[in-house]
Amino acid sequence: MARQLPAKASVVIIGGGVVGCSIAYHLAKIGWSDVVLLERKQLTCGTTWHAAGLIGQLRGSVNMTRLARYTCDLYAELEAETGQATGYRQSGSVTIATNEERFEELKRNASMAQVFGLRVDVIGKSEVKERYPLINDSDVLGGIHIPSDGYGNAVDITQALAKGARTRGVQIFQDTKVTAIRRDGEKVTGVSTDGGDIDAKHVVICGGMWSRDLAATVGVNIPLYACEHYYVLFESVEGLDPKLPVLRDYDACTYYKYDAGKLMVGAFEPSARPWGMKGIPEDFCFDEIAGSFEHMEPVLEQAMQRIPALENAGIQKFFCGPESFTPDVRYHLGEAPELKNCFVAAGMNSIGLQSAGGIGKVMAEWIRDGHPSADLWEVDVRRNMPFQGNRKYLRERVSETLGLLYATHWPFRQYETGRGARKSALHDRLAAIGACHGEAFGWERPNWYAPEGVKPEYEYSYGRQNWFEHSAAEHRAVRETVGLFDQSSFAKFRLEGPDACRVLNRVCANDIDVADGRIVYTQWLNDRGGIEADLTVTRWSRDTFLIVGAAETEVRDFYWLKQHIPGGAHCVLTNVSSGMGVISLMGPNARELLQSLTPEDMSHLAFPFGRSREIELGYALVRASRITYVGELGWELYVPTEFMLGVYDEIVAAGNQYGLVHAGYHALNSLRMEKGYRHWGHDITDEDSPLEAGLGFAVKFEKEGGFIGRDALLGQKEQGLTRRMLQFQLDDPQPLLYHNEPIWRDGAIAGYISSGAYGHILGASVGLGYVCRSDKNDSDGWVNGEFEIEVAGQRFPAQASLAPLFDPENRRIRN
């Protein structure tokens, strides 16, 4: 007899794969036993059952690596706890490099791992052969070895998590299809199933490749799409040893794993095949898909060259199954911005098993606490733009992203598919003069400009790429004459109404109750004092404010503010990002250039720093805001979209006599790094406070009404800071900093670089990073000691500073 569904639950989890079962297990562990998990067919039957079982730990950031390490530790103990076999084995892993650039990447990863406390050994060619005797190492330069990596059986691990959840009171129902997510206004209220309704305070969508369509029925955006994923099982492989580590050959897109007496060879090929264009069959359950041997054949040929014993082995199984992939190869976690208490854990990009333990833990904490327990922005579902749920876009993009798992992770690598989705009004004008556009959050943005005779195309490297000197020239022009940036991708919101000032001032740490025409730089904080947003607020009039933030955080910032508008407040929030383009003019000659184009007085006395007002320019009324992100005199010009071309043409026509140069986002980044300006998502996150980040000047503790996070900051002030952001400059002008390079002080790791770039005026790479005070009784304790930055295993001396290394007194900005 089928069990009766409960009428209500605290949490309903949709999906019985390894991720859903892990969330159920971890909710139960923190004491939430009133949890129901619903699976449309059988546990693991979607994609979990055919997972290859790899369990690796090294990721591209501190927090992602922590989650992966927790997963590894959990699986090591799960069998003893539950009595359910997991097949977990800590075999170690070896990743090889067959060219210098790949070896550089692996060495940088090994350096980064020290920050995380993860042992990663750089090994030479002979040690690769020693650890994996089956390998043909003729073209191998070396690699990395991670002793604590391993593999497990995905079905068994899922069943162990399910058993652990059940023993703590979680109810799991199989053969129960969710037919609808129920909602009441702006929050979730439960689910409807083919077996009845369940009222619930929280709903978690863990439906794998079904998640996008289910979420769309309630207006939630989860961009993912299924692709074919292949592996082959070889039997009778001569010399095969159960003790072999997992082997990854990124340059050949392949991995190798011992599998119950057979050798599994899997692939993440550069051009994948999307699947399910006509929908997923209703009866899909433990199903394989046809696949294409011809598609996999080139990969297998390379595999036989790498492992010669495969040439005489038999193919026991040729497998193809669907896996869901996301537009940026990062999974989707967290509370959906569109629907309160609707949580998401989907889009695992074929690493669901090795991610599930950590995901289950942080999702359980997120549901319990109402916020993530660590900075998870890189996988936060709020990063997604509405257009990314478009099926055509997803089909094209995921064909590329599957292969990016094993592709070289070049600095500044640009996506090649799904391009041209969002363009500024100036796009074609800028392309015609050599702009090399990159893609960011769907926007086509000029990253650098190719001089005449140079192709505006990337040539990737870990060293100085082909655009380095061209961007350096743009950088110097901004410092010496004037540069033009197209920053139309800014997120732009209007908040207006009688209560707008009161509402916004409660959200902002700075005081935005200022005179009309004033610009206020501010952060939005959470209750813990962490930075949720970093932006500017311009008071247009008594009841109207313009909020300008980064393109990356458009969705996050909009919903953060929306959710903090109290019920009954008389104000309206509108996203006006598409209605205005932005042209920034930055540099010593910016005033003279603008003054030649407008009758308005642009002098310092008439138009001081931090002021904004409408000016006439060409045929348009343009809002000019005197502010900078590059450390120079300059204005951001907010132009109605239909006037952008005319205004741009006026500026360019007049620009020659003032030394006008077009500048791209690479120059913008190097300029802001030279000046020490912070970037949200890299240098400041919801784990970092303004006091730690050196942004205390933008916090007004005594303003009327206070602000979110005030008490936490006051407590931090009283207790004293334990960490502080510093700016670093290498003594050696050759090495390049990107991010995650270890910071050494007096021979011990003290932190890591959160972002880095080359300072073309300073003459060396510069970076930002947090460190602890060396002596709490020393006022200069933050910068005392001998600092070094480690790049690909080599340490380079560096100078540390609390003040900006370029123009610390801000004279260039305020003249």
Side-chain angles (χ1 to χ4, degrees):
M1 179 181 292
R3 288 187 298 150
Q4 181 70 36
L5 291 175
K8 61 180 181 179
S10 294
V11 184
V12 168
I13 299 169
I14 304 171
V18 67
V19 171
C21 289
S22 180
I23 294 172
Y25 170 86
H26 284 91
L27 281 169
K29 282 196 76 172
I30 62 173
W32 283 40
S33 59
D34 186 18
V35 175
V36 172
L37 184 148
L38 304 174
E39 165 54 46
R40 57 183 286 277
K41 295 292 185 181
Q42 300 295 306
L43 296 185
T44 79
C45 75
T47 58
T48 296
W49 73 274
H50 61 71
L54 307 185
I55 301 171
Q57 299 167 86
L58 185 57
R59 298 287 188 271
S61 68
V62 173
N63 284 332
M64 290 299 102
T65 300
R66 285 175 181 158
L67 296 191
R69 295 191 70 188
Y70 171 82
T71 298
C72 198
D73 293 342
L74 172 67
Y75 293 171
E77 301 169 355
L78 199 56
E79 184 170 336
E81 176 195 335
T82 65
Q84 165 71 48
T86 61
Y88 176 74
R89 186 171 182 279
Q90 202 169 55
S91 62
S93 71
V94 170
T95 303
I96 62 172
T98 60
N99 58 71
E100 292 293 347
E101 293 282 11
R102 178 70 77 177
F103 209 6
E104 167 94 357
E105 178 184 2
L106 296 182
K107 289 175 183 177
R108 283 179 174 265
N109 289 345
S111 291
M112 178 179 66
Q114 296 175 93
V115 175
F116 309 157
L118 175 66
R119 179 184 168 186
V120 179
D121 300 321
V122 178
I123 59 178
K125 180 174 182 172
S126 60
E127 193 170 349
V128 169
K129 183 71 172 180
E130 180 183 340
R131 294 188 176 278
Y132 209 95
L134 295 181
I135 195 171
N136 169 11
D137 65 350
S138 60
D139 59 343
V140 173
L141 302 181
I144 57 173
H145 174 234
I146 304 178
S148 55
D149 277 355
Y151 57 83
N153 183 292
V155 171
D156 290 343
I157 288 172
T158 304
Q159 294 292 352
L161 290 166
K163 185 176 181 180
R166 284 192 187 99
T167 58
R168 294 178 171 89
V170 172
Q171 298 185 71
I172 297 177
F173 294 86
Q174 302 182 82
D175 295 309
T176 306
K177 181 181 178 180
V178 172
T179 57
I181 296 172
R182 295 160 48 216
R183 58 184 298 172
D184 177 15
E186 295 184 347
K187 72 177 187 298
V188 74
T189 60
V191 299
S192 296
T193 80
D194 53 10
D197 294 348
I198 305 176
D199 294 336
K201 185 177 180 181
H202 306 87
V203 171
V204 191
I205 302 174
C206 303
M209 58 188 172
W210 288 271
S211 296
R212 179 202 171 278
D213 291 347
L214 177 61
T217 63
V218 286
V220 170
N221 184 32
I222 308 179
L224 53 80
Y225 209 90
C227 279
E228 296 178 354
H229 178 52
Y230 295 84
Y231 58 73
V232 177
L233 286 172
F234 285 88
E235 59 185 356
S236 304
V237 179
E238 186 178 352
L240 185 61
D241 188 334
K243 297 180 181 179
L244 283 175
V246 171
L247 176 66
R248 294 182 179 90
D249 182 359
Y250 287 151
D251 295 320
C253 313
T254 49
Y255 60 84
Y256 304 81
K257 187 202 82 167
Y258 177 85
D259 192 288
K262 296 173 282 293
L263 186 64
M264 176 184 286
V265 180
F268 292 101
E269 66 278 17
S271 182
R273 288 160 51 102
W275 178 81
M277 284 78 76
K278 297 180 181 179
I280 303 170
E282 181 63 28
D283 60 351
F284 192 94
C285 179
F286 296 110
D287 286 358
E288 301 179 29
I289 55 181
S292 166
F293 190 84
E294 289 73 23
H295 181 75
M296 187 66 171
E297 192 171 17
V299 175
L300 292 178
E301 289 175 356
Q302 290 189 78
M304 291 177 181
Q305 293 174 20
R306 180 62 62 210
I307 310 292
L310 296 181
E311 293 182 9
N312 299 316
I315 293 180
Q316 193 262 347
K317 178 73 172 177
F318 174 78
F319 178 83
C320 180
E323 298 270 6
S324 59
F325 286 81
T326 66
D328 55 7
V329 215
R330 293 179 280 162
Y331 29 76
H332 300 314
L333 299 184
E335 186 177 13
E338 304 93 344
L339 185 58
K340 187 170 178 59
N341 290 341
C342 181
F343 286 80
V344 175
M348 296 297 115
N349 300 288
S350 205
I351 55 172
L353 179 67
Q354 55 190 301
S355 306
I359 288 173
K361 180 176 186 294
V362 297
M363 287 296 294
E365 294 166 346
W366 203 330
I367 294 166
R368 178 194 64 190
D369 301 333
H371 59 80
S373 54
D375 169 33
L376 298 175
W377 170 239
E378 63 189 285
V379 293
D380 195 316
V381 71
R382 291 174 292 174
R383 76 187 185 277
N384 296 306
M385 301 298 159
F387 85 92
Q388 291 181 302
N390 177 285
R391 290 179 177 86
K392 181 177 188 295
Y393 168 81
L394 285 171
R395 281 198 303 270
E396 293 179 8
R397 177 55 66 85
V398 298
S399 67
E400 177 183 8
T401 56
L402 180 147
L404 294 181
L405 281 172
Y406 277 16
T408 303
H409 297 89
W410 301 114
F412 312 107
R413 188 200 180 278
Q414 302 300 315
Y415 291 107
E416 297 172 2
T417 56
R419 294 294 296 267
R422 307 171 82 184
K423 297 179 181 179
S424 89
L426 302 183
H427 177 273
D428 292 354
R429 288 275 207 283
L430 302 182
I433 61 169
C436 184
H437 285 90
E439 186 265 346
F441 334 113
W443 282 100
E444 295 294 321
R445 307 198 302 189
N447 281 345
W448 58 281
Y449 288 83
E452 188 173 352
V454 175
K455 284 188 176 182
E457 298 175 356
Y458 279 88
E459 296 174 11
Y460 297 118
S461 161
Y462 272 94
R464 287 161 168 74
Q465 296 186 11
N466 62 316
W467 51 265
F468 184 86
E469 289 302 332
H470 307 313
S471 185
E474 297 165 20
H475 180 117
R476 296 187 189 99
V478 173
R479 294 278 185 245
E480 296 166 3
T481 55
V482 59
L484 182 153
F485 297 90
D486 178 9
Q487 293 188 273
S488 298
S489 62
F490 275 151
K492 301 171 280 286
F493 316 137
R494 281 179 65 139
L495 185 70
E496 47 198 324
D499 292 334
C501 183
R502 176 180 60 83
V503 168
L504 196 51
N505 222 17
R506 175 67 183 163
V507 174
C508 295
N510 209 337
D511 190 356
I512 58 89
D513 191 2
V514 294
D516 295 358
R518 291 292 299 271
I519 308 167
V520 179
Y521 170 59
T522 187
Q523 285 78 45
W524 294 348
L525 310 182
N526 54 45
D527 290 331
R528 305 167 313 281
I531 300 172
E532 292 286 343
D534 180 69
L535 36 74
T536 63
V537 175
T538 302
R539 190 168 201 166
W540 281 14
S541 67
R542 173 182 172 81
D543 296 334
T544 304
F545 295 83
L546 178 70
I547 300 148
V548 178
E552 179 179 10
T553 54
E554 179 181 336
V555 172
R556 178 194 180 105
D557 294 349
F558 184 84
Y559 280 98
W560 179 266
L561 181 53
K562 182 179 179 181
Q563 290 162 2
H564 286 87
I565 298 175
H570 291 86
C571 56
V572 176
L573 178 64
T574 309
N575 188 337
V576 296
S577 300
S578 297
M580 289 184 287
V582 181
I583 298 172
S584 293
L585 294 176
M586 298 287 158
N589 294 350
R591 175 179 289 118
E592 293 179 73
L593 172 54
L594 268 180
Q595 191 64 82
S596 74
L597 297 169
T598 182
E600 308 294 334
D601 187 351
M602 305 300 290
S603 68
H604 179 65
L605 288 177
F607 207 139
F609 182 78
R611 302 300 195 275
S612 176
R613 69 168 183 259
E614 280 193 344
I615 66 172
E616 296 178 22
L617 205 167
Y619 295 131
L621 290 177
V622 172
R623 175 158 289 275
S625 295
R626 188 174 166 196
I627 196 167
T628 182
Y629 192 50
V630 299
E632 295 291 339
L633 168 70
W635 280 263
E636 293 172 354
L637 305 177
Y638 292 80
V639 187
T641 302
E642 69 270 28
F643 288 96
M644 276 285 283
L645 289 176
V647 169
Y648 169 80
D649 289 342
E650 292 272 353
I651 293 170
V652 171
N656 283 341
Q657 66 185 101
Y658 302 101
L660 179 68
V661 170
H662 286 72
Y665 272 80
H666 290 332
L668 186 77
N669 187 50
S670 61
L671 288 158
R672 74 97 182 169
M673 283 301 309
E674 204 166 51
K675 183 63 176 158
Y677 288 149
R678 281 57 165 157
H679 177 273
W680 195 91
H682 283 94
D683 312 310
I684 48 179
T685 72
D686 58 9
E687 287 189 300
D688 310 309
S689 83
L691 306 183
E692 296 168 328
L695 301 174
F697 65 87
V699 177
K700 297 298 184 286
F701 285 101
E702 304 308 318
K703 70 173 179 175
E704 185 178 352
F707 56 90
I708 298 169
R710 179 178 182 272
D711 291 345
L713 292 192
L714 287 174
Q716 198 173 66
K717 283 184 71 174
E718 183 178 344
Q719 295 172 14
L721 298 179
T722 59
R723 60 199 286 267
R724 185 72 159 77
M725 174 158 278
L726 303 181
Q727 188 180 23
F728 297 89
Q729 179 179 339
L730 299 184
D731 293 348
D732 189 328
Q734 291 306 309
L736 298 180
L737 299 180
Y738 297 116
H739 61 89
N740 285 341
E741 294 88 354
I743 300 168
W744 292 79
R745 179 171 57 195
D746 297 331
I749 289 180
Y752 62 93
I753 295 296
S754 54
S755 60
Y758 201 86
H760 297 287
I761 301 300
L762 295 173
S765 284
V766 290
L768 295 169
Y770 292 94
V771 299
C772 298
R773 187 192 293 272
S774 61
D775 183 349
K776 290 187 177 181
N777 298 315
D778 184 349
S779 61
D780 295 323
W782 303 113
V783 296
N784 283 348
E786 298 293 323
F787 285 94
E788 298 171 298
I789 311 296
E790 181 174 333
V791 180
Q794 185 175 355
R795 298 187 206 172
F796 296 91
Q799 305 305 310
S801 176
L802 279 167
L805 293 167
F806 180 82
D807 188 26
E809 297 178 353
N810 291 329
R811 292 178 179 174
R812 299 173 71 90
I813 297 170
R814 300 180 183 273
N815 63 5

